[in-house]
Every structure is written in C-alpha cells, then in structure tokens.
Amino acid sequence: MRETILLFHFTDQSRRNKLVKALLPLRVRVVADISEEDYKKPVGYLAGVKELSSESGTMDLPELPEEKPHPQKGIMGEMMVMAGFSSGRIDQVLRAVRKSGVPVPYKAALTASNQSWDAYRLFEEIKSEHETMSGK
C-alpha cells in the first residue's frame, strides 16, 4: 500500500495548505479533499486498501463482535489518518506536522482493526482516547 495521509474536516483552507506543503518533502499521497458524504465510507477504502469496498463495513474479513454502532454526531475537529507507514516514517510525518505550525489534535494510524470504520466512528474513538490521555 502506498503511504497515504487522509485529512478530515480541515475547513480552514490556509491551514490545510500549510500542512500539505509541509508534507510534500516526504513524498506521500495526501488526500485533503474528502467530502462529508465520503465520511461514511471505510477509512481503509479512502486510503486505498484494495480489500475494502466503498460500502461502510463491507470487507472480506468478518466484522469484529465488539464493534458497536456509533452516534453520527459529526467530526468536531481536524483529524489526520496515516496509512501504510512504518513507525519510523510516522515519526517523520509527526515531525513535519510539528514544523508546519498546524497542530492536529486527532491523529491515527490505519490498522486492521480500524480500517473498516467510517470517519465518524474513528473520530469518536480518537477523541475518547485523547480525552482519557489528557485527563478531560
């Protein structure tokens, strides 16, 4: 899989452009124009995982029993999803994000567990983890 970064809910175009520009030297695919209607598709599909279809939850692997429906409250902050990266390359991406001066509070790596989730569910999970880690 080609290294891909998905940017969700970057409504301020100047912030988005600044971040994309900072990622250019890494020669990664950046998908920054994801429409809200695509938020319901599996994030793995949006990142280019060939085994996933565009229908939410449809994939060759069975759904995990602990998965529960999510409330579609919406994405209330900027979210970045990194797919196809080694841990060393993730470190490079995070350094580039810090240098850009555009803080992105909600970041995740695409995994076998979350690739079938839609953006709303992934955001809720990241938000919950972020609140737990920051003590909120």
Side-chain angles (χ1 to χ4, degrees):
M1 163 187 272
R2 182 173 176 202
E3 294 175 328
T4 301
I5 295 175
L6 304 174
L7 300 177
F8 293 91
H9 199 66
F10 277 77
T11 55
D12 182 333
Q13 193 161 358
S14 65
R15 284 176 51 81
R16 183 183 72 187
N17 292 344
K18 192 174 180 182
L19 182 58
V20 170
K21 185 177 179 182
L23 295 169
L24 281 175
L26 298 177
R27 297 180 184 257
V28 299
R29 176 176 166 240
V30 179
V31 181
D33 56 349
I34 302 169
S35 69
E36 283 196 44
E37 67 185 38
D38 285 340
Y39 288 8
K40 294 178 184 176
K41 295 178 181 173
V43 291
Y45 171 78
L46 297 173
V49 176
K50 290 180 178 31
E51 295 82 30
L52 295 175
S53 79
S54 64
E55 296 301 313
S56 184
T58 304
M59 55 185 278
D60 292 341
L61 302 172
E63 289 252 347
L64 298 175
E66 68 270 8
E67 290 189 18
K68 57 187 183 282
H70 59 82
Q72 290 191 7
K73 296 178 184 175
I75 295 178
M76 307 306 287
E78 297 168 339
M79 177 172 71
M80 180 173 79
V81 179
M82 298 165 280
F85 289 89
S86 67
S87 61
R89 286 287 284 169
I90 287 175
D91 290 342
Q92 290 177 351
V93 169
L94 296 177
R95 276 193 297 274
V97 170
R98 275 193 299 277
K99 283 184 178 182
S100 77
V102 179
V104 181
Y106 304 108
K107 296 179 277 301
L110 189 71
T111 66
S113 299
N114 67 20
Q115 69 181 357
S116 65
W117 296 358
D118 65 25
Y120 298 111
R121 177 156 184 207
L122 183 58
F123 177 79
E124 288 300 319
E125 183 67 25
I126 296 169
K127 182 178 175 224
S128 174
E129 290 175 7
H130 188 268
E131 289 170 353
T132 300
M133 290 175 64
S134 64
K136 292 184 179 180

